[in-house]
């Protein structure tokens, strides 16, 4: 319950900031543009099925929007409070570190869902003109939610390590981009290594979702990735006492 | 001696933290490994395009001796490469004996030369001493290659052609059966043409004898030879049009199958754009085909068939395919009538009507070790045109033909579990009007971001009015 109090406080903070609306607008603008341009490309050049010809490209583009925006959403979670000193106040509240971590994570996650929700309008409008199967789209949305959740957990952890928001965002970008590029060495590494790296790549894990397939291995990977970074965040907060830092 | 930067308490805490992190990573790793080993995959696409068909899974699971799939994909085409990898992973997951590797033609020229690979999206499957080429990297091609590698003996389909039948070597659109021949060869059947049966009867290497649309009488003795073959466990496939000869009808009567002198009419379920003599055949026997064939087949000028009271012992006839309940049979029609035809309640026959039947014939040959030998099978269809070059690729025609051949050849792996076709809601092309395109553009690119920005401006302005920062 205390996590929900923290979550409400964070959400209020998000939605009272103009920057948050700018982030939302940028996300919607980019995802809307990608949807429109991919759809036009699909209509003009056709010959594919929707899951591989439209949804895959729309959602592969949308993951880039998430990559661009989410580190900016998470950078302030702890870093800003440290910078402003309000974190000291938070520590004095009778709330556990776990509740704080969970509350902040939940708030960023709900903000992300608020970002995604309006994008449903795009396929909804398209559906008026062309009745497609909902299944692949649902899988793709599940994928983007899981991917975004993993991004948020990573960003939350990095934010807990620094009081500089720019550093927080940049390091988060660095880690996420690493998990993207990790498979780009395919031709210099051995097949077995490449396959192992593929299993580590957040972006390759998203591939199946984008074409309408829910693979339990991918769901578990995203869940483990998220849980690990939340655990690291908790440990990062717990270590402040013996490290002598705030 | 240098001073320790941390107190011993801090060092202990750091060590504890390190242990906890390692444990958490290990637990996470175990969860991931477990999920890799006990995976489930749910394909939400309407065509189930990204999971292996039951057929492919069965065949892959039977692979016990080590095989390796060498797939040559361009590293420049990451999407294509990823899709091939996903497909190969599924084959590999089905059997631990299947391994695979993805190679770039330009970066692995030695390997490409070894297997004489010259273009991308091709490859080979190597197993034991054999190498089977893959002309494409799709599921059917790989499944067939795995079949070729397995120890399965050759299966030859012998087409009789000396009685006016369609020929697999004929390419013409109307009479030709060359498309069927190609499809059969893709599924590893050998195709052979026999004008008339030799004096000693059905050749031993003929897995199935096919007579597609006979119009002339059988040669003397052939009916006896064909019946004898079926009684010894042989497999016969007759596709008989309304104009089939009386001798063929007499032969089929020996298998308790009656060819009705009629013509099937289906006004409501006719193939789109055709007249009512091109009925759709939507009902299939699931027991025979194991899985229901997904799409109706389209026949052209078909006759109905009928199992008759047992006049020969040891023959059991079952229905394979039926026309729709709205169909009917115009009786006593030698030639197709022109124009509209009306149902005559006292003469004509109501649907649904059998257009494909199969007789199971008790094997009278000596059986090995006291075990009953496999029964003979005689499949009879009331139309031969549906599998001709013109109609084979219409709706479920190819599936029906190939599944029947598979049932006859006892290749149960290949029965009716072929990749489903594209369905409504998935197919391009999509045409949008200019107005619809504009509506999507304004909604997606302009209105949504603008509304959000507007809300942001209002919220900020209200906060400022209240004196917030």
């Amino acid at each position: 319950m205390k996590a929900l109090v923290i979550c409400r406080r964070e959400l209020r903070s998000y939605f009272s900031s103009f920057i948050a609306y700018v982030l939302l607008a940028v996300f919607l603008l980019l995802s809307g543009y990608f949807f429109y341009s991919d759809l036009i490309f699909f209509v003009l050049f056709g010959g594919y099925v929707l899951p591989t010809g439209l949804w895959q490209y729309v959602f592969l583009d949308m993951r880039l929007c998430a990559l661009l925006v989410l580190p900016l959403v998470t950078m302030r979670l702890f870093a800003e409070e440290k910078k402003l000193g309000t974190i000291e106040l938070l520590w004095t509240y009778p709330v556990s570190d776990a509740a704080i971590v969970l509350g902040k994570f939940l708030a960023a996650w709900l903000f992300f869902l608020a970002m995604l929700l309006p994008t449903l309008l795009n396929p909804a409008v398209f559906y008026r003109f062309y009745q497609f199967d909902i299944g692949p789209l649902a899988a793709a949305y599940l994928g983007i939610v899981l991917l975004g959740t993993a991004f948020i957990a990573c960003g939350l952890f990095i934010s807990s390590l620094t009081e500089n928001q720019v550093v927080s965002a940049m390091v988060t970008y660095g880690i996420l981009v690493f998990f993207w590029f990790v498979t780009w060495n395919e031709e210099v590494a051995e097949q077995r290594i490449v396959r192992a790296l593929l299993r580590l790549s957040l972006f390759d894990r998203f591939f199946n979702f984008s074409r309408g397939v829910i693979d339990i291995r991918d769901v578990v990977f995203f869940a483990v990735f998220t849980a690990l970074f939340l655990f690291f965040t908790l440990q990062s907060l717990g270590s402040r006492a013996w490290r002598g830092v705030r | 001696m240098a001073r320790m930067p941390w107190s011993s308490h801090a060092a202990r805490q750091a060590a504890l933290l390190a242990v906890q992190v390692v444990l958490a990573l290990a637990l996470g790793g175990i969860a991931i490994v477990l999920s890799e080993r006990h995976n489930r995959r749910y394909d939400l696409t309407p065509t189930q395009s990204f999971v292996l068909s039951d057929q492919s899974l069965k065949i892959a699971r039977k692979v016990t001796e080590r095989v390796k799939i060498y797939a040559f994909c361009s590293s420049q085409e990451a999407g294509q490469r990823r899709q091939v990898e996903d497909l190969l992973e599924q084959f590999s997951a089905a059997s631990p004996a299947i391994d695979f590797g993805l190679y770039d033609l330009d970066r692995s020229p030695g390997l490409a030369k070894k297997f004489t690979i010259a273009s991308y999206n091709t490859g080979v499957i190597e197993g034991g001493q054999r190498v089977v080429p893959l002309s494409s990297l799709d599921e059917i091609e790989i499944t067939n290659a795995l079949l070729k590698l397995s120890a399965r003996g050759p299966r030859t389909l012998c087409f009789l052609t000396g009685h006016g039948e369609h020929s697999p070597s004929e390419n013409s659109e109307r009479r030709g059966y060359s498309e069927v021949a190609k499809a059969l060869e893709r599924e590893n059947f050998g195709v052979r043409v026999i004008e008339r049966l030799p004096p000693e009867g059905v050749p031993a290497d003929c897995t199935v004898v096919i007579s597609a649309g006979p119009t002339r009488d059988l040669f003397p003795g052939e009916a006896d030879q064909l019946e004898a073959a079926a009684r010894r466990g042989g497999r016969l496939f007759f596709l008989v049009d309304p104009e089939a000869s009386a001798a063929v009808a007499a032969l089929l009567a020996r298998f308790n199958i009656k060819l009705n002198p009629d013509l099937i009419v289906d006004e409501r379920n006719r193939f789109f754009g055709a007249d009512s003599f091109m009925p759709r055949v939507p009902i299939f026997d699931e027991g025979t085909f194991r899985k229901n064939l997904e799409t109706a087949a389209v026949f052209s000028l078909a006759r109905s068939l009928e199992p008759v009271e047992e006049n020969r012992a040891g023959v059991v006839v079952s229905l394979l395919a039926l026309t729709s309940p709205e169909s009917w049979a115009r009786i006593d029609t030698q030639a197709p009538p022109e124009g509209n035809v009306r149902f005559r309640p006292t003469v004509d026959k109501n649907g649904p009507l059998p257009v494909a039947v199969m007789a199971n014939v008790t094997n009278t040959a000596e059986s090995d070790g006291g075990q009953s030998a496999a029964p003979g099978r005689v499949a009879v269809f009331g139309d031969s045109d549906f599998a001709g070059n013109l109609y084979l690729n219409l709706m479920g025609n190819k599936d029906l033909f190939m599944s029947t051949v598979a049932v006859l050849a006892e290749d149960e792996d290949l029965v009716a579990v072929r990749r489903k076709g594209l369905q409504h809601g998935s197919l391009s092309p999509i045409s949008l009007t200019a107005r619809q395109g504009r509506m999507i553009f304004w909604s997606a690119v302009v209105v949504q971001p603008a509304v959000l920005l507007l809300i942001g401006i209002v919220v900020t302005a209200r906060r400022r009015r209240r004196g917030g920062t």
Side-chain angles (χ1 to χ4, degrees):
Chain A
M1 289 305 286
K2 285 177 179 168
L4 290 181
V5 175
I6 302 285
C7 174
R8 260 202 303 275
R9 169 181 173 269
E10 289 295 326
L11 278 177
R12 203 176 302 123
S13 163
Y14 272 128
F15 285 105
S16 59
S17 153
F18 183 64
I19 292 169
Y21 291 96
V22 172
L23 279 181
L24 283 169
V26 166
F27 183 83
L28 288 179
L29 177 70
L30 287 177
S31 55
Y33 172 74
F34 285 134
F35 177 82
Y36 177 72
S37 54
D38 288 338
L39 175 63
I40 295 304
F41 182 86
F42 184 74
V43 168
L44 287 180
F45 295 99
Y48 301 102
V49 290
L50 277 178
T52 49
L54 179 60
W55 301 139
Q56 188 177 327
Y57 286 96
V58 167
F59 281 87
L60 290 182
D61 289 336
M62 211 194 260
R63 73 183 175 172
L64 299 183
C65 305
L67 176 67
L68 181 76
V69 170
L70 286 178
L72 301 177
V73 172
T74 56
M75 68 181 187
R76 51 169 293 283
L77 285 169
F78 285 106
E80 186 184 41
E81 295 221 44
K82 285 181 185 176
K83 187 82 175 172
L84 298 175
T86 52
I87 195 87
E88 304 291 354
L89 197 62
L90 189 60
W91 298 144
T92 61
Y93 289 156
V95 283
S96 65
D97 286 358
I100 293 171
V101 170
L102 208 59
K104 283 179 177 283
F105 171 74
L106 202 58
W109 190 71
L110 288 174
F111 185 77
F112 175 54
L113 289 193
M115 226 177 237
L116 278 183
L117 204 60
T119 66
L120 283 169
L121 269 175
N122 300 335
V125 172
F126 176 48
Y127 191 84
R128 280 191 59 197
F129 311 130
Y130 186 81
Q131 279 73 48
F132 51 83
D133 292 286
I134 304 292
L137 188 65
Y141 265 102
L142 173 67
I144 199 84
V145 168
L146 288 172
L147 185 74
T149 307
F151 285 0
I152 290 167
C154 177
L156 184 73
F157 169 62
I158 302 302
S159 182
S160 75
L161 297 178
T162 175
E163 59 181 41
N164 188 316
Q165 293 190 46
V166 176
V167 169
S168 169
M170 290 311 296
V171 174
T172 307
Y173 280 130
I175 290 174
L176 296 181
V177 170
F178 168 78
F179 275 101
W180 183 8
F181 286 178
V182 72
T183 57
W184 284 26
N185 286 316
E186 299 194 43
E187 294 310 321
V188 291
E190 265 187 46
Q191 290 276 331
R192 285 178 194 283
I193 295 171
V194 170
R195 269 190 238 164
L197 291 178
L198 274 174
R199 307 246 61 85
L200 277 180
S201 166
L202 283 171
F203 295 86
D204 272 86
R205 294 284 190 173
F206 178 66
F207 177 76
N208 273 326
F209 291 106
S210 71
R211 55 185 192 154
V213 177
I214 298 174
D215 193 308
I216 294 301
R217 293 177 302 180
D218 300 332
V219 175
V220 169
F221 181 80
F222 282 121
V224 167
F225 188 95
T226 303
L228 277 178
F229 273 102
L230 288 180
F231 174 75
F232 295 157
T233 311
L234 196 59
Q235 295 303 314
S236 158
L237 296 191
S239 70
R240 69 185 181 277
W242 56 265
R243 282 193 299 138
V245 293
R246 60 181 198 188
Chain B
M1 194 175 168
R3 197 176 162 224
M4 294 293 286
W6 279 359
S7 67
S8 60
H9 171 72
R12 269 201 308 277
Q13 291 296 324
L16 186 64
L17 175 68
V19 170
Q20 286 176 333
V21 167
V22 169
L23 273 177
L25 286 172
L27 277 176
I30 289 168
I32 289 170
V33 169
L34 282 176
S35 73
E36 294 278 343
R37 292 197 178 161
H38 305 282
N39 185 34
R40 288 279 181 281
R41 168 183 273 237
Y42 305 95
D43 185 343
L44 303 191
T45 59
T47 52
Q48 297 283 292
S49 308
F50 307 114
V51 287
L52 293 185
S53 65
D54 292 349
Q55 165 204 5
S56 299
L57 273 176
K58 267 195 235 170
I59 291 164
R61 281 175 187 149
K62 282 183 186 168
V63 176
T64 50
E65 289 182 16
R66 189 176 156 72
V67 300
K68 181 161 182 182
I69 305 171
Y70 293 85
F72 288 84
C73 298
S74 171
S75 49
Q76 304 300 313
E77 294 176 20
Q80 169 77 12
R81 193 182 167 91
R82 186 73 189 86
Q83 289 189 25
V84 169
E85 181 160 38
D86 184 67
L87 178 67
L88 297 179
E89 264 183 10
Q90 291 185 64
F91 275 102
S92 184
S95 166
I98 300 175
D99 190 16
F100 70 89
L102 282 120
Y103 304 93
D104 189 296
L105 204 55
D106 302 318
R107 299 185 193 196
S108 307
L111 205 58
K113 192 176 176 189
K114 178 184 168 190
F115 294 122
T116 60
I117 299 289
S119 56
Y120 280 119
N121 299 319
T122 60
V124 295
I125 301 188
E126 188 181 45
Q129 300 300 311
R130 298 185 63 193
V131 174
V132 178
L134 298 166
S135 59
S136 61
L137 297 173
D138 59 48
E139 181 189 336
I140 293 178
E141 187 75 16
I142 294 167
T143 303
N144 285 332
L146 289 174
L147 264 179
K148 279 183 187 166
L149 275 178
S150 68
R152 198 182 299 274
R155 294 162 306 148
T156 305
L157 306 179
C158 298
F159 281 80
L160 283 177
T161 58
H163 321 90
E165 290 103 334
H166 301 273
S167 169
S169 53
E170 193 176 337
N171 292 316
S172 74
E173 192 178 60
R174 297 226 159 254
R175 289 287 305 163
Y177 253 43
S178 55
E179 288 297 316
V180 150
K182 280 184 207 160
L184 290 168
E185 278 160 2
R186 263 178 75 87
E187 305 241 338
N188 296 320
F189 288 106
V191 173
R192 187 175 151 194
V193 172
I194 297 177
E195 275 232 11
R196 62 180 294 178
L197 291 176
E200 59 273 21
V202 173
D205 64 335
C206 290
T207 311
V208 182
V209 176
I210 300 177
S211 172
T215 52
R216 294 196 294 271
D217 275 350
L218 299 171
F219 294 110
E222 274 188 327
D224 292 335
Q225 289 173 328
L226 288 167
E227 185 186 1
R231 297 273 176 198
R232 288 196 308 269
R235 306 300 161 94
L236 312 177
F237 189 2
F238 284 89
L239 300 99
V240 283
D241 299 304
E243 60 269 26
S245 72
V248 173
L251 168 63
L252 296 178
R254 298 187 195 185
F255 300 114
N256 300 343
I257 296 167
K258 183 183 169 196
L259 301 181
N260 288 327
D262 59 16
L263 197 59
I264 292 169
V265 183
D266 196 338
E267 180 63 32
R268 288 180 66 179
N269 294 290
R270 62 185 175 173
F271 183 64
F272 181 74
D275 66 19
S276 47
F277 299 107
M278 262 186 88
R280 288 196 295 166
V281 177
I283 305 165
F284 304 108
D285 176 44
E286 288 182 39
T288 303
F289 293 119
R290 300 296 178 92
K291 277 197 170 181
N292 197 13
L293 297 171
E294 295 283 338
T295 315
V298 181
F299 280 26
S300 171
L301 298 175
R303 73 192 306 167
S304 72
L305 311 167
E306 199 176 317
V308 291
E309 287 301 314
E310 201 168 295
N311 59 13
R312 290 288 173 106
V315 179
V316 178
V317 179
S318 57
L319 303 181
L320 287 187
L322 296 159
T323 55
S324 76
E326 292 82 15
S327 65
W328 52 277
R330 184 181 170 87
I331 306 292
D332 297 329
T333 303
Q334 291 301 315
E338 289 177 9
N340 289 331
V341 285
R342 289 178 189 279
F343 181 71
R344 300 166 296 179
T346 53
V347 182
D348 297 328
K349 199 171 165 187
N350 272 312
L353 299 154
V355 283
V357 298
M358 182 177 291
N360 283 289
V361 185
T362 305
N363 193 334
T364 54
E366 290 288 318
S367 57
D368 295 330
Q371 288 186 338
S372 57
R377 282 180 181 161
V378 183
V380 183
F381 278 50
D383 179 36
S384 68
D385 301 313
F386 88 98
N389 291 348
L390 187 60
Y391 299 124
L392 184 69
N393 290 311
L394 283 185
M395 299 184 70
N397 288 16
K398 190 195 265 181
D399 253 7
L400 179 60
F401 184 90
M402 299 300 286
S403 297
T404 307
V405 167
V407 170
L408 289 170
E410 269 197 336
D411 193 346
E412 293 180 359
D413 293 333
L414 294 172
V415 179
V417 277
R418 286 171 185 78
R419 174 66 65 211
K420 290 182 277 288
L422 300 170
Q423 293 173 2
H424 175 71
S426 297
L427 255 180
S428 185
I430 298 168
S431 57
L432 292 176
T433 63
R435 185 172 165 274
Q436 290 169 339
R438 276 199 303 275
M439 194 183 281
I440 291 172
F441 173 81
W442 278 91
S443 159
V445 185
V446 181
V447 175
Q448 289 180 40
V451 167
L452 256 298
L453 265 186
L454 202 65
I455 294 172
I457 290 168
V458 170
V459 169
T460 312
R462 283 178 65 181
R463 281 189 63 232
R464 288 202 175 147
R465 269 207 304 277
R466 286 178 192 165
T469 53

